C-alpha cells in the first residue's frame, strides 16, 4: 500500500514539474540596497530571444529603453535601477517580446 501511494505521489510531482512555464514580469523593491530589480521570465528556447524593455514613470513617459537578448537555453533576464532620485508614484515595467507585451507595476513612496 505504501509503495502504491509513493509511486502515485512521485507521478503527480513529475507531471506538475513538466507544466509549461509561463511568461511573466515582476519587480521587487530593495530599499536597503536602494534598488528596483525587475525580471522577465520566459520559456527556454534553442535560439536567442531579442526583447525591448521600457521603464515608464508615473507621468506616463518612458524613462529608459533597453534592448536585451535572452540567450538560447536561458529563461530570464533582469534589469535594475536605483531608487534614489526616482519619481514617486506608480511605475510600469514593460517587456516587448516579438509581438507580445508583458507589464507589471510597482509603487515608489
Amino acid at each position: 500500500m505504501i509503495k502504491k501511494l509513493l509511486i502515485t505521489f512521485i507521478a503527480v510531482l513529475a507531471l506538475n514539474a513538466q507544466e509549461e512555464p509561463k511568461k511573466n514580469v515582476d519587480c521587487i523593491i530593495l530599499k536597503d540596497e536602494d534598488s528596483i530589480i525587475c525580471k522577465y521570465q520566459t520559456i527556454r528556447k534553442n535560439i536567442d530571444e531579442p526583447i525591448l524593455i521600457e521603464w515608464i514613470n508615473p507621468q506616463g513617459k518612458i524613462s529608459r529603453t533597453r534592448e536585451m537578448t535572452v540567450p538560447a537555453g536561458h529563461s530570464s533576464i533582469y534589469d535594475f535601477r536605483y531608487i534614489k532620485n526616482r519619481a514617486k508614484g506608480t511605475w510600469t515595467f514593460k517587456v516587448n517580446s516579438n509581438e507580445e507585451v508583458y507589464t507589471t507595476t510597482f509603487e515608489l513612496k
Side-chain angles (χ1 to χ4, degrees):
M1 180 69 171
I2 293 176
K3 285 183 182 180
K4 287 182 183 180
L5 287 173
L6 185 58
I7 290 171
T8 303
F9 179 72
I10 291 172
V12 168
L13 283 178
L15 289 173
N16 286 335
Q18 293 177 5
E19 277 185 20
E20 188 70 21
K22 296 178 181 169
K23 293 184 176 187
N24 65 43
V25 292
D26 194 23
C27 295
I28 186 168
I29 298 171
L30 302 173
K31 289 184 181 181
D32 59 328
E33 295 182 21
D34 188 42
S35 298
I36 307 157
I37 302 172
C38 294
K39 175 183 178 182
Y40 167 63
Q41 179 80 36
T42 187
I43 300 165
R44 292 181 195 272
K45 297 178 184 173
N46 294 329
I47 59 171
D48 290 349
E49 178 185 357
I51 61 170
L52 178 69
I53 292 175
E54 295 176 334
W55 292 76
I56 303 167
N57 69 22
Q59 291 74 39
K61 295 181 182 176
I62 297 172
S63 73
R64 175 179 173 153
T65 300
R66 185 171 181 197
E67 293 180 12
M68 297 182 80
T69 300
V70 180
H74 291 254
S75 64
S76 62
I77 59 92
Y78 296 84
D79 197 20
F80 83 97
R81 311 273 317 258
Y82 290 109
I83 297 171
K84 188 176 181 179
N85 299 324
R86 196 95 21 231
K88 307 296 184 218
T90 302
W91 283 74
T92 301
F93 179 75
K94 180 178 174 181
V95 175
N96 296 291
S97 169
N98 297 322
E99 295 180 11
E100 300 172 319
V101 177
Y102 302 91
T103 62
T104 190
T105 59
F106 58 91
E107 186 172 352
L108 294 180
K109 298 178 181 179

